[in-house]
Amino acid sequence: MSSAATAPVLRKTALNSTHRHLGAKMVDFGGWDMPVEYSGLVAEHMAVRTGVGVFDVSHMGDIQLRGPSSLAAVQRISMNDASKLAVGQAHYSALLYPQGTFVDDVIVHKLSENDYLLVINAGTREKDVDWVRSQIGAMPGVHVSDYSDYYTQLAIQGPRAAETLAKLTNADLSTIKNYWFTWATVCGLANTMIARTGYTGEDGFEIYVPSDEPTSVRVWNEVLEAGREFGILPCGLGARNTLRLEASMALYGHEISEEITVFDAGLDRYCKLEKGPFVGAEALNKIKAEGGPKRRLVGLEVIERGIARDGYGVFDDEGKQIGYVTSGSPSPFLKKNIAMAYVPLDFSAVDTEVVVQCRSNAVRAKVVGLPFYKKPKKQS
Amino acid sequence: MAYPESFRYTKEHEWIEVDGKTAKIGITDYAQNSLGDIVFVELPKIGSTLEKNKVFGSVESVKSVSDLFAPASGTVTAVNEELATAPEKINTDAHTAWILTLELSEPSEIGSLLSAEDYQKYIAEEGAH
């Protein structure tokens, strides 16, 4: 990070001026000048839970692996089993270090038989690209490209997201299942990628359009116009964070990092040790053979008055520190104070009570099942 | 949002309205806007003493927590109980949603605080960074 003495030169997405015109509060996020909120975090959060919201997520990175060995390369560098993907399908996965800890979490998209797109975090972009290149090295038959700056990526999220996007595209959105994608005309732009993915716990889509400013601004405005009847709001990183926390999705630097293993984070179901060798598998097999992880990521609900936040210590009744909070916030939708935390296994059972040191106040909290929030089933 | 001329302000974004030996304290509109949706105000007890520039409580919004610094020294004579159930009143109108009242022990301390004009210059510079 930059020192206080020199202001960092922040990167900007093509929509930077648009956000400022909308009166967004801007914040340095992983070296990017990004909107944290526009009309207000809670209003934006609720728009996504009950209607529709749109996020500029162009700061996310895009790595493409192409060539006859691209599947072999993806299999080597990521923990999920990409051989199971059909063309047009995506899945959650992660890039791991040899010790089974996280370089980053990623969404892998199978664009064609020999072409994969990895969507990665903004703050770890360079690190991830370097890591992928270093692991693939001179592997013949695969070409790695960093297309991060070529796309403006918008996330249209919420129960009314499909109705909003339907007005702007010729695609039949009902045929795109969760974690699948297609190409169609969107806002008059042919061959636009539409993925039914997101980071909010709601139904929603992420669209990828050319990153020049006029195109980006036009598409953004058309999305806002299309969603107007559903009360669409532009949403910032503040609501993005509270939404993903309610849905208990991991955030790099909080629930996952180079210090945390896949098993600690409870992401085992996305880690396919049986698929064959990949970076990190050996260490994870060893951990498994030795009885599994010693700690677990749990959900906490604060029982007493207080808000548990990232970095606060978690203690047992004797006052001994047993863990720490990775993310925490008042939950705008559930109207409770929730958090995720790392605790030893014997404190990870649901209903176990612990103490969180919220600045000067020791506050009781209890372990609850994750996710905190699950979107309601569609009424058929 | 207007910054009342009758208030004095701190660089930590509190306001104080002095009336003889008593004063009302709150946080500024700039502060509430920076915090976003306020969900909790930690108040001191009536009868407790505040020391100028020392932390006397905190304000939490959904996204962050901020300490409250005493603009002046004195004894707490009342706290705004409304904020316990409706802390968002500070977002609605920060300059009427007072936090506590104080019996000043050193009224001369007020002299070193910012005027409305100086405070607005100060936040204009802050916002530019």
Side-chain angles (χ1 to χ4, degrees), chain A residues 206-254:
Chain A
E206 288 174 313
I207 59 171
Y208 298 75
V209 300
S211 63
D212 64 281
E213 189 170 357
T215 304
S216 303
V217 173
R218 180 174 67 80
V219 171
W220 170 265
N221 287 334
E222 287 186 30
V223 170
L224 285 178
E225 187 50 42
R228 198 207 300 227
E229 65 170 299
F230 312 120
I232 195 168
L233 288 179
C235 299
L237 293 176
R240 190 166 161 83
N241 187 50
T242 50
L243 288 158
R244 70 95 197 167
L245 174 62
E246 283 180 354
S248 73
M249 292 168 166
L251 175 61
Y252 184 85
H254 294 259

mmCIF file of all heavy atoms in Angstrom, chain A residues 206-254:
data_model
loop_
_atom_site.group_PDB
_atom_site.id
_atom_site.type_symbol
_atom_site.label_atom_id
_atom_site.label_comp_id
_atom_site.label_asym_id
_atom_site.label_seq_id
_atom_site.Cartn_x
_atom_site.Cartn_y
_atom_site.Cartn_z
ATOM 1 N N GLU A 206 -24.153 -10.880 -14.987
ATOM 2 C CA GLU A 206 -23.000 -10.014 -15.199
ATOM 3 C C GLU A 206 -22.789 -9.916 -16.699
ATOM 4 O O GLU A 206 -22.784 -10.939 -17.395
ATOM 5 C CB GLU A 206 -21.786 -10.565 -14.452
ATOM 6 C CG GLU A 206 -21.976 -10.354 -12.937
ATOM 7 C CD GLU A 206 -20.913 -10.987 -12.050
ATOM 8 O OE1 GLU A 206 -20.599 -12.173 -12.284
ATOM 9 O OE2 GLU A 206 -20.410 -10.317 -11.139
ATOM 10 N N ILE A 207 -22.685 -8.685 -17.189
ATOM 11 C CA ILE A 207 -22.504 -8.500 -18.631
ATOM 12 C C ILE A 207 -21.146 -7.844 -18.874
ATOM 13 O O ILE A 207 -20.651 -7.074 -18.051
ATOM 14 C CB ILE A 207 -23.651 -7.673 -19.270
ATOM 15 C CG1 ILE A 207 -23.766 -6.279 -18.627
ATOM 16 C CG2 ILE A 207 -24.972 -8.422 -19.170
ATOM 17 C CD1 ILE A 207 -24.737 -5.356 -19.358
ATOM 18 N N TYR A 208 -20.555 -8.190 -20.009
ATOM 19 C CA TYR A 208 -19.209 -7.750 -20.362
ATOM 20 C C TYR A 208 -19.284 -6.981 -21.675
ATOM 21 O O TYR A 208 -19.597 -7.562 -22.707
ATOM 22 C CB TYR A 208 -18.288 -8.964 -20.531
ATOM 23 C CG TYR A 208 -18.124 -9.787 -19.261
ATOM 24 C CD1 TYR A 208 -19.158 -10.631 -18.804
ATOM 25 C CD2 TYR A 208 -16.950 -9.734 -18.523
ATOM 26 C CE1 TYR A 208 -19.009 -11.382 -17.645
ATOM 27 C CE2 TYR A 208 -16.796 -10.482 -17.370
ATOM 28 C CZ TYR A 208 -17.830 -11.302 -16.931
ATOM 29 O OH TYR A 208 -17.677 -12.043 -15.781
ATOM 30 N N VAL A 209 -19.033 -5.668 -21.614
ATOM 31 C CA VAL A 209 -19.115 -4.843 -22.823
ATOM 32 C C VAL A 209 -17.771 -4.135 -23.029
ATOM 33 O O VAL A 209 -16.978 -4.031 -22.095
ATOM 34 C CB VAL A 209 -20.280 -3.813 -22.741
ATOM 35 C CG1 VAL A 209 -21.629 -4.527 -22.581
ATOM 36 C CG2 VAL A 209 -20.067 -2.806 -21.626
ATOM 37 N N PRO A 210 -17.521 -3.635 -24.241
ATOM 38 C CA PRO A 210 -16.236 -2.958 -24.486
ATOM 39 C C PRO A 210 -16.020 -1.807 -23.494
ATOM 40 O O PRO A 210 -16.973 -1.112 -23.140
ATOM 41 C CB PRO A 210 -16.372 -2.433 -25.920
ATOM 42 C CG PRO A 210 -17.388 -3.323 -26.547
ATOM 43 C CD PRO A 210 -18.345 -3.690 -25.450
ATOM 44 N N SER A 211 -14.761 -1.616 -23.105
ATOM 45 C CA SER A 211 -14.494 -0.704 -21.988
ATOM 46 C C SER A 211 -14.271 0.750 -22.405
ATOM 47 O O SER A 211 -13.820 1.546 -21.594
ATOM 48 C CB SER A 211 -13.287 -1.194 -21.196
ATOM 49 O OG SER A 211 -12.140 -1.179 -22.023
ATOM 50 N N ASP A 212 -14.585 1.080 -23.664
ATOM 51 C CA ASP A 212 -14.456 2.510 -23.997
ATOM 52 C C ASP A 212 -15.554 3.287 -23.277
ATOM 53 O O ASP A 212 -16.640 2.760 -23.012
ATOM 54 C CB ASP A 212 -14.529 2.739 -25.513
ATOM 55 C CG ASP A 212 -15.876 2.342 -26.077
ATOM 56 O OD1 ASP A 212 -16.094 1.128 -26.269
ATOM 57 O OD2 ASP A 212 -16.724 3.240 -26.273
ATOM 58 N N GLU A 213 -15.259 4.544 -22.945
ATOM 59 C CA GLU A 213 -16.170 5.310 -22.094
ATOM 60 C C GLU A 213 -17.551 5.521 -22.705
ATOM 61 O O GLU A 213 -18.556 5.280 -22.040
ATOM 62 C CB GLU A 213 -15.532 6.653 -21.689
ATOM 63 C CG GLU A 213 -16.366 7.362 -20.640
ATOM 64 C CD GLU A 213 -15.667 8.567 -20.020
ATOM 65 O OE1 GLU A 213 -14.503 8.829 -20.360
ATOM 66 O OE2 GLU A 213 -16.306 9.246 -19.205
ATOM 67 N N PRO A 214 -17.652 5.945 -23.982
ATOM 68 C CA PRO A 214 -19.004 6.181 -24.529
ATOM 69 C C PRO A 214 -19.886 4.926 -24.474
ATOM 70 O O PRO A 214 -21.054 5.002 -24.085
ATOM 71 C CB PRO A 214 -18.734 6.597 -25.983
ATOM 72 C CG PRO A 214 -17.328 7.085 -26.000
ATOM 73 C CD PRO A 214 -16.593 6.319 -24.935
ATOM 74 N N THR A 215 -19.328 3.779 -24.846
ATOM 75 C CA THR A 215 -20.114 2.536 -24.810
ATOM 76 C C THR A 215 -20.497 2.190 -23.370
ATOM 77 O O THR A 215 -21.653 1.861 -23.080
ATOM 78 C CB THR A 215 -19.302 1.373 -25.426
ATOM 79 O OG1 THR A 215 -18.923 1.739 -26.744
ATOM 80 C CG2 THR A 215 -20.117 0.085 -25.448
ATOM 81 N N SER A 216 -19.524 2.267 -22.472
ATOM 82 C CA SER A 216 -19.767 1.896 -21.073
ATOM 83 C C SER A 216 -20.861 2.767 -20.467
ATOM 84 O O SER A 216 -21.773 2.270 -19.794
ATOM 85 C CB SER A 216 -18.483 2.045 -20.253
ATOM 86 O OG SER A 216 -17.450 1.274 -20.814
ATOM 87 N N VAL A 217 -20.769 4.074 -20.700
ATOM 88 C CA VAL A 217 -21.742 5.011 -20.132
ATOM 89 C C VAL A 217 -23.128 4.773 -20.732
ATOM 90 O O VAL A 217 -24.135 4.766 -20.018
ATOM 91 C CB VAL A 217 -21.288 6.480 -20.353
ATOM 92 C CG1 VAL A 217 -22.375 7.462 -19.924
ATOM 93 C CG2 VAL A 217 -19.992 6.747 -19.594
ATOM 94 N N ARG A 218 -23.179 4.526 -22.043
ATOM 95 C CA ARG A 218 -24.475 4.288 -22.696
ATOM 96 C C ARG A 218 -25.141 3.037 -22.124
ATOM 97 O O ARG A 218 -26.329 3.049 -21.776
ATOM 98 C CB ARG A 218 -24.278 4.139 -24.212
ATOM 99 C CG ARG A 218 -25.579 3.894 -24.973
ATOM 100 C CD ARG A 218 -25.363 3.895 -26.480
ATOM 101 N NE ARG A 218 -24.561 2.783 -26.950
ATOM 102 C CZ ARG A 218 -25.039 1.546 -27.139
ATOM 103 N NH1 ARG A 218 -26.302 1.274 -26.901
ATOM 104 N NH2 ARG A 218 -24.241 0.581 -27.597
ATOM 105 N N VAL A 219 -24.390 1.961 -21.984
ATOM 106 C CA VAL A 219 -24.966 0.706 -21.465
ATOM 107 C C VAL A 219 -25.427 0.899 -20.014
ATOM 108 O O VAL A 219 -26.538 0.496 -19.642
ATOM 109 C CB VAL A 219 -23.948 -0.459 -21.580
ATOM 110 C CG1 VAL A 219 -24.463 -1.700 -20.854
ATOM 111 C CG2 VAL A 219 -23.657 -0.764 -23.047
ATOM 112 N N TRP A 220 -24.587 1.527 -19.202
ATOM 113 C CA TRP A 220 -24.935 1.808 -17.795
ATOM 114 C C TRP A 220 -26.257 2.566 -17.717
ATOM 115 O O TRP A 220 -27.162 2.189 -16.964
ATOM 116 C CB TRP A 220 -23.795 2.598 -17.167
ATOM 117 C CG TRP A 220 -24.026 3.193 -15.813
ATOM 118 C CD1 TRP A 220 -24.443 4.471 -15.536
ATOM 119 C CD2 TRP A 220 -23.839 2.561 -14.539
ATOM 120 N NE1 TRP A 220 -24.509 4.664 -14.169
ATOM 121 C CE2 TRP A 220 -24.147 3.511 -13.534
ATOM 122 C CE3 TRP A 220 -23.428 1.276 -14.142
ATOM 123 C CZ2 TRP A 220 -24.061 3.228 -12.161
ATOM 124 C CZ3 TRP A 220 -23.335 0.995 -12.783
ATOM 125 C CH2 TRP A 220 -23.655 1.965 -11.816
ATOM 126 N N ASN A 221 -26.374 3.617 -18.531
ATOM 127 C CA ASN A 221 -27.598 4.427 -18.509
ATOM 128 C C ASN A 221 -28.811 3.652 -19.011
ATOM 129 O O ASN A 221 -29.912 3.800 -18.479
ATOM 130 C CB ASN A 221 -27.410 5.709 -19.330
ATOM 131 C CG ASN A 221 -26.499 6.703 -18.608
ATOM 132 O OD1 ASN A 221 -26.409 6.682 -17.375
ATOM 133 N ND2 ASN A 221 -25.811 7.550 -19.355
ATOM 134 N N GLU A 222 -28.609 2.808 -20.005
ATOM 135 C CA GLU A 222 -29.724 2.001 -20.514
ATOM 136 C C GLU A 222 -30.188 0.977 -19.480
ATOM 137 O O GLU A 222 -31.373 0.674 -19.378
ATOM 138 C CB GLU A 222 -29.351 1.330 -21.849
ATOM 139 C CG GLU A 222 -29.313 2.342 -23.005
ATOM 140 C CD GLU A 222 -29.087 1.692 -24.369
ATOM 141 O OE1 GLU A 222 -29.512 0.531 -24.556
ATOM 142 O OE2 GLU A 222 -28.492 2.349 -25.243
ATOM 143 N N VAL A 223 -29.251 0.437 -18.721
ATOM 144 C CA VAL A 223 -29.621 -0.491 -17.648
ATOM 145 C C VAL A 223 -30.442 0.244 -16.592
ATOM 146 O O VAL A 223 -31.491 -0.240 -16.144
ATOM 147 C CB VAL A 223 -28.367 -1.154 -17.009
ATOM 148 C CG1 VAL A 223 -28.741 -1.927 -15.746
ATOM 149 C CG2 VAL A 223 -27.677 -2.085 -18.016
ATOM 150 N N LEU A 224 -29.995 1.444 -16.214
ATOM 151 C CA LEU A 224 -30.741 2.221 -15.207
ATOM 152 C C LEU A 224 -32.144 2.551 -15.707
ATOM 153 O O LEU A 224 -33.123 2.478 -14.954
ATOM 154 C CB LEU A 224 -29.991 3.512 -14.862
ATOM 155 C CG LEU A 224 -28.752 3.375 -13.975
ATOM 156 C CD1 LEU A 224 -28.094 4.736 -13.771
ATOM 157 C CD2 LEU A 224 -29.093 2.760 -12.615
ATOM 158 N N GLU A 225 -32.237 2.879 -16.987
ATOM 159 C CA GLU A 225 -33.543 3.204 -17.582
ATOM 160 C C GLU A 225 -34.439 1.964 -17.589
ATOM 161 O O GLU A 225 -35.614 2.042 -17.216
ATOM 162 C CB GLU A 225 -33.323 3.747 -19.009
ATOM 163 C CG GLU A 225 -34.563 4.286 -19.682
ATOM 164 C CD GLU A 225 -35.349 5.288 -18.827
ATOM 165 O OE1 GLU A 225 -34.733 6.163 -18.164
ATOM 166 O OE2 GLU A 225 -36.589 5.158 -18.796
ATOM 167 N N ALA A 226 -33.887 0.830 -17.984
ATOM 168 C CA ALA A 226 -34.674 -0.413 -18.065
ATOM 169 C C ALA A 226 -35.172 -0.848 -16.683
ATOM 170 O O ALA A 226 -36.239 -1.431 -16.553
ATOM 171 C CB ALA A 226 -33.827 -1.519 -18.687
ATOM 172 N N GLY A 227 -34.404 -0.555 -15.677
ATOM 173 C CA GLY A 227 -34.784 -0.991 -14.339
ATOM 174 C C GLY A 227 -35.584 0.033 -13.563
ATOM 175 O O GLY A 227 -36.006 -0.217 -12.426
ATOM 176 N N ARG A 228 -35.819 1.174 -14.199
ATOM 177 C CA ARG A 228 -36.456 2.269 -13.467
ATOM 178 C C ARG A 228 -37.798 1.872 -12.854
ATOM 179 O O ARG A 228 -38.090 2.178 -11.708
ATOM 180 C CB ARG A 228 -36.631 3.480 -14.388
ATOM 181 C CG ARG A 228 -36.871 4.748 -13.573
ATOM 182 C CD ARG A 228 -37.660 5.779 -14.311
ATOM 183 N NE ARG A 228 -37.001 6.195 -15.535
ATOM 184 C CZ ARG A 228 -36.866 7.460 -15.878
ATOM 185 N NH1 ARG A 228 -37.243 8.410 -15.050
ATOM 186 N NH2 ARG A 228 -36.358 7.775 -17.047
ATOM 187 N N GLU A 229 -38.617 1.126 -13.637
ATOM 188 C CA GLU A 229 -39.955 0.757 -13.112
ATOM 189 C C GLU A 229 -39.866 -0.211 -11.934
ATOM 190 O O GLU A 229 -40.815 -0.384 -11.189
ATOM 191 C CB GLU A 229 -40.833 0.162 -14.226
ATOM 192 C CG GLU A 229 -40.325 -1.150 -14.764
ATOM 193 C CD GLU A 229 -41.348 -1.816 -15.678
ATOM 194 O OE1 GLU A 229 -42.453 -2.131 -15.201
ATOM 195 O OE2 GLU A 229 -41.026 -2.030 -16.868
ATOM 196 N N PHE A 230 -38.704 -0.839 -11.751
ATOM 197 C CA PHE A 230 -38.523 -1.763 -10.617
ATOM 198 C C PHE A 230 -37.753 -1.093 -9.481
ATOM 199 O O PHE A 230 -37.300 -1.753 -8.550
ATOM 200 C CB PHE A 230 -37.786 -3.031 -11.066
ATOM 201 C CG PHE A 230 -38.343 -3.644 -12.317
ATOM 202 C CD1 PHE A 230 -37.557 -3.791 -13.451
ATOM 203 C CD2 PHE A 230 -39.681 -4.060 -12.365
ATOM 204 C CE1 PHE A 230 -38.077 -4.343 -14.610
ATOM 205 C CE2 PHE A 230 -40.202 -4.610 -13.518
ATOM 206 C CZ PHE A 230 -39.409 -4.754 -14.653
ATOM 207 N N GLY A 231 -37.562 0.212 -9.594
ATOM 208 C CA GLY A 231 -36.865 0.954 -8.543
ATOM 209 C C GLY A 231 -35.375 0.687 -8.503
ATOM 210 O O GLY A 231 -34.747 0.701 -7.436
ATOM 211 N N ILE A 232 -34.784 0.455 -9.672
ATOM 212 C CA ILE A 232 -33.343 0.148 -9.722
ATOM 213 C C ILE A 232 -32.514 1.255 -9.072
ATOM 214 O O ILE A 232 -32.844 2.439 -9.179
ATOM 215 C CB ILE A 232 -32.867 -0.080 -11.183
ATOM 216 C CG1 ILE A 232 -31.492 -0.753 -11.212
ATOM 217 C CG2 ILE A 232 -32.838 1.237 -11.969
ATOM 218 C CD1 ILE A 232 -31.076 -1.262 -12.595
ATOM 219 N N LEU A 233 -31.452 0.849 -8.386
ATOM 220 C CA LEU A 233 -30.499 1.815 -7.843
ATOM 221 C C LEU A 233 -29.095 1.421 -8.295
ATOM 222 O O LEU A 233 -28.777 0.232 -8.360
ATOM 223 C CB LEU A 233 -30.516 1.813 -6.308
ATOM 224 C CG LEU A 233 -31.730 2.409 -5.601
ATOM 225 C CD1 LEU A 233 -31.553 2.289 -4.086
ATOM 226 C CD2 LEU A 233 -31.938 3.879 -5.986
ATOM 227 N N PRO A 234 -28.269 2.433 -8.611
ATOM 228 C CA PRO A 234 -26.850 2.122 -8.758
ATOM 229 C C PRO A 234 -26.306 1.780 -7.371
ATOM 230 O O PRO A 234 -26.650 2.448 -6.395
ATOM 231 C CB PRO A 234 -26.249 3.431 -9.292
ATOM 232 C CG PRO A 234 -27.208 4.501 -8.942
ATOM 233 C CD PRO A 234 -28.557 3.863 -8.783
ATOM 234 N N CYS A 235 -25.519 0.730 -7.288
ATOM 235 C CA CYS A 235 -25.063 0.229 -5.985
ATOM 236 C C CYS A 235 -23.547 0.245 -5.909
ATOM 237 O O CYS A 235 -22.856 -0.070 -6.877
ATOM 238 C CB CYS A 235 -25.553 -1.202 -5.779
ATOM 239 S SG CYS A 235 -27.352 -1.348 -5.790
ATOM 240 N N GLY A 236 -23.052 0.563 -4.729
ATOM 241 C CA GLY A 236 -21.605 0.669 -4.526
ATOM 242 C C GLY A 236 -21.025 -0.528 -3.796
ATOM 243 O O GLY A 236 -21.716 -1.506 -3.482
ATOM 244 N N LEU A 237 -19.751 -0.411 -3.513
ATOM 245 C CA LEU A 237 -19.043 -1.514 -2.862
ATOM 246 C C LEU A 237 -19.513 -1.762 -1.435
ATOM 247 O O LEU A 237 -19.365 -2.867 -0.916
ATOM 248 C CB LEU A 237 -17.536 -1.221 -2.856
ATOM 249 C CG LEU A 237 -16.868 -1.204 -4.234
ATOM 250 C CD1 LEU A 237 -15.403 -0.798 -4.088
ATOM 251 C CD2 LEU A 237 -16.967 -2.558 -4.909
ATOM 252 N N GLY A 238 -20.091 -0.748 -0.797
ATOM 253 C CA GLY A 238 -20.616 -0.919 0.557
ATOM 254 C C GLY A 238 -21.716 -1.968 0.574
ATOM 255 O O GLY A 238 -21.668 -2.937 1.348
ATOM 256 N N ALA A 239 -22.702 -1.796 -0.304
ATOM 257 C CA ALA A 239 -23.804 -2.763 -0.385
ATOM 258 C C ALA A 239 -23.304 -4.099 -0.925
ATOM 259 O O ALA A 239 -23.762 -5.160 -0.487
ATOM 260 C CB ALA A 239 -24.918 -2.226 -1.272
ATOM 261 N N ARG A 240 -22.362 -4.059 -1.843
ATOM 262 C CA ARG A 240 -21.807 -5.314 -2.375
ATOM 263 C C ARG A 240 -21.231 -6.143 -1.224
ATOM 264 O O ARG A 240 -21.388 -7.360 -1.175
ATOM 265 C CB ARG A 240 -20.720 -4.981 -3.404
ATOM 266 C CG ARG A 240 -20.231 -6.163 -4.203
ATOM 267 C CD ARG A 240 -19.420 -5.671 -5.397
ATOM 268 N NE ARG A 240 -18.555 -6.679 -5.958
ATOM 269 C CZ ARG A 240 -18.913 -7.600 -6.823
ATOM 270 N NH1 ARG A 240 -20.164 -7.671 -7.230
ATOM 271 N NH2 ARG A 240 -18.047 -8.473 -7.306
ATOM 272 N N ASN A 241 -20.574 -5.456 -0.288
ATOM 273 C CA ASN A 241 -19.979 -6.160 0.839
ATOM 274 C C ASN A 241 -21.024 -6.711 1.806
ATOM 275 O O ASN A 241 -20.916 -7.851 2.249
ATOM 276 C CB ASN A 241 -18.999 -5.238 1.569
ATOM 277 C CG ASN A 241 -18.244 -5.978 2.642
ATOM 278 O OD1 ASN A 241 -17.678 -7.043 2.399
ATOM 279 N ND2 ASN A 241 -18.253 -5.446 3.861
ATOM 280 N N THR A 242 -22.046 -5.933 2.132
ATOM 281 C CA THR A 242 -23.058 -6.435 3.073
ATOM 282 C C THR A 242 -23.902 -7.541 2.422
ATOM 283 O O THR A 242 -24.303 -8.485 3.100
ATOM 284 C CB THR A 242 -23.967 -5.301 3.594
ATOM 285 O OG1 THR A 242 -24.462 -4.528 2.491
ATOM 286 C CG2 THR A 242 -23.214 -4.381 4.546
ATOM 287 N N LEU A 243 -24.134 -7.437 1.119
ATOM 288 C CA LEU A 243 -24.896 -8.479 0.420
ATOM 289 C C LEU A 243 -24.118 -9.798 0.412
ATOM 290 O O LEU A 243 -24.677 -10.856 0.721
ATOM 291 C CB LEU A 243 -25.209 -8.033 -1.017
ATOM 292 C CG LEU A 243 -26.268 -6.926 -1.140
ATOM 293 C CD1 LEU A 243 -26.127 -6.186 -2.468
ATOM 294 C CD2 LEU A 243 -27.680 -7.495 -1.003
ATOM 295 N N ARG A 244 -22.832 -9.726 0.087
ATOM 296 C CA ARG A 244 -22.056 -10.976 0.024
ATOM 297 C C ARG A 244 -21.864 -11.540 1.431
ATOM 298 O O ARG A 244 -21.772 -12.756 1.604
ATOM 299 C CB ARG A 244 -20.737 -10.767 -0.719
ATOM 300 C CG ARG A 244 -19.683 -9.932 -0.022
ATOM 301 C CD ARG A 244 -18.676 -10.723 0.761
ATOM 302 N NE ARG A 244 -17.966 -9.860 1.700
ATOM 303 C CZ ARG A 244 -17.221 -10.320 2.678
ATOM 304 N NH1 ARG A 244 -17.086 -11.608 2.888
ATOM 305 N NH2 ARG A 244 -16.629 -9.477 3.499
ATOM 306 N N LEU A 245 -21.810 -10.668 2.444
ATOM 307 C CA LEU A 245 -21.687 -11.168 3.820
ATOM 308 C C LEU A 245 -22.954 -11.923 4.229
ATOM 309 O O LEU A 245 -22.866 -13.020 4.786
ATOM 310 C CB LEU A 245 -21.396 -10.007 4.782
ATOM 311 C CG LEU A 245 -21.371 -10.338 6.272
ATOM 312 C CD1 LEU A 245 -20.273 -11.354 6.612
ATOM 313 C CD2 LEU A 245 -21.153 -9.075 7.110
ATOM 314 N N GLU A 246 -24.121 -11.357 3.963
ATOM 315 C CA GLU A 246 -25.380 -12.065 4.274
ATOM 316 C C GLU A 246 -25.432 -13.414 3.554
ATOM 317 O O GLU A 246 -25.921 -14.400 4.100
ATOM 318 C CB GLU A 246 -26.596 -11.227 3.848
ATOM 319 C CG GLU A 246 -26.917 -10.084 4.806
ATOM 320 C CD GLU A 246 -28.126 -9.266 4.347
ATOM 321 O OE1 GLU A 246 -28.640 -9.509 3.236
ATOM 322 O OE2 GLU A 246 -28.545 -8.371 5.110
ATOM 323 N N ALA A 247 -24.907 -13.448 2.337
ATOM 324 C CA ALA A 247 -24.897 -14.705 1.570
ATOM 325 C C ALA A 247 -23.683 -15.559 1.928
ATOM 326 O O ALA A 247 -23.478 -16.612 1.340
ATOM 327 C CB ALA A 247 -24.903 -14.394 0.074
ATOM 328 N N SER A 248 -22.886 -15.082 2.872
ATOM 329 C CA SER A 248 -21.666 -15.719 3.390
ATOM 330 C C SER A 248 -20.704 -16.164 2.292
ATOM 331 O O SER A 248 -20.187 -17.280 2.305
ATOM 332 C CB SER A 248 -21.988 -16.868 4.351
ATOM 333 O OG SER A 248 -22.469 -17.996 3.699
ATOM 334 N N MET A 249 -20.469 -15.248 1.360
ATOM 335 C CA MET A 249 -19.479 -15.508 0.321
ATOM 336 C C MET A 249 -18.138 -14.937 0.773
ATOM 337 O O MET A 249 -18.088 -13.892 1.426
ATOM 338 C CB MET A 249 -19.910 -14.848 -0.985
ATOM 339 C CG MET A 249 -21.148 -15.509 -1.564
ATOM 340 S SD MET A 249 -21.818 -14.491 -2.877
ATOM 341 C CE MET A 249 -22.951 -15.647 -3.624
ATOM 342 N N ALA A 250 -17.068 -15.637 0.397
ATOM 343 C CA ALA A 250 -15.733 -15.245 0.847
ATOM 344 C C ALA A 250 -15.251 -13.989 0.131
ATOM 345 O O ALA A 250 -15.620 -13.731 -1.016
ATOM 346 C CB ALA A 250 -14.758 -16.383 0.581
ATOM 347 N N LEU A 251 -14.436 -13.201 0.827
ATOM 348 C CA LEU A 251 -13.775 -12.041 0.220
ATOM 349 C C LEU A 251 -12.278 -12.186 0.440
ATOM 350 O O LEU A 251 -11.826 -12.406 1.571
ATOM 351 C CB LEU A 251 -14.282 -10.742 0.856
ATOM 352 C CG LEU A 251 -13.598 -9.440 0.397
ATOM 353 C CD1 LEU A 251 -13.776 -9.207 -1.105
ATOM 354 C CD2 LEU A 251 -14.130 -8.243 1.166
ATOM 355 N N TYR A 252 -11.514 -12.047 -0.638
ATOM 356 C CA TYR A 252 -10.065 -12.160 -0.527
ATOM 357 C C TYR A 252 -9.535 -11.109 0.456
ATOM 358 O O TYR A 252 -9.958 -9.965 0.440
ATOM 359 C CB TYR A 252 -9.374 -11.992 -1.897
ATOM 360 C CG TYR A 252 -7.889 -12.206 -1.744
ATOM 361 C CD1 TYR A 252 -7.357 -13.492 -1.784
ATOM 362 C CD2 TYR A 252 -7.032 -11.151 -1.478
ATOM 363 C CE1 TYR A 252 -6.006 -13.709 -1.572
ATOM 364 C CE2 TYR A 252 -5.680 -11.357 -1.253
ATOM 365 C CZ TYR A 252 -5.177 -12.641 -1.303
ATOM 366 O OH TYR A 252 -3.840 -12.857 -1.063
ATOM 367 N N GLY A 253 -8.608 -11.540 1.311
ATOM 368 C CA GLY A 253 -8.061 -10.630 2.317
ATOM 369 C C GLY A 253 -8.854 -10.678 3.612
ATOM 370 O O GLY A 253 -8.453 -10.081 4.613
ATOM 371 N N HIS A 254 -9.978 -11.373 3.605
ATOM 372 C CA HIS A 254 -10.802 -11.513 4.802
ATOM 373 C C HIS A 254 -10.984 -13.003 5.129
ATOM 374 O O HIS A 254 -10.293 -13.524 5.996
ATOM 375 C CB HIS A 254 -12.150 -10.804 4.600
ATOM 376 C CG HIS A 254 -11.991 -9.318 4.483
ATOM 377 N ND1 HIS A 254 -12.244 -8.472 5.523
ATOM 378 C CD2 HIS A 254 -11.565 -8.543 3.453
ATOM 379 C CE1 HIS A 254 -11.980 -7.227 5.135
ATOM 380 N NE2 HIS A 254 -11.576 -7.249 3.885
#
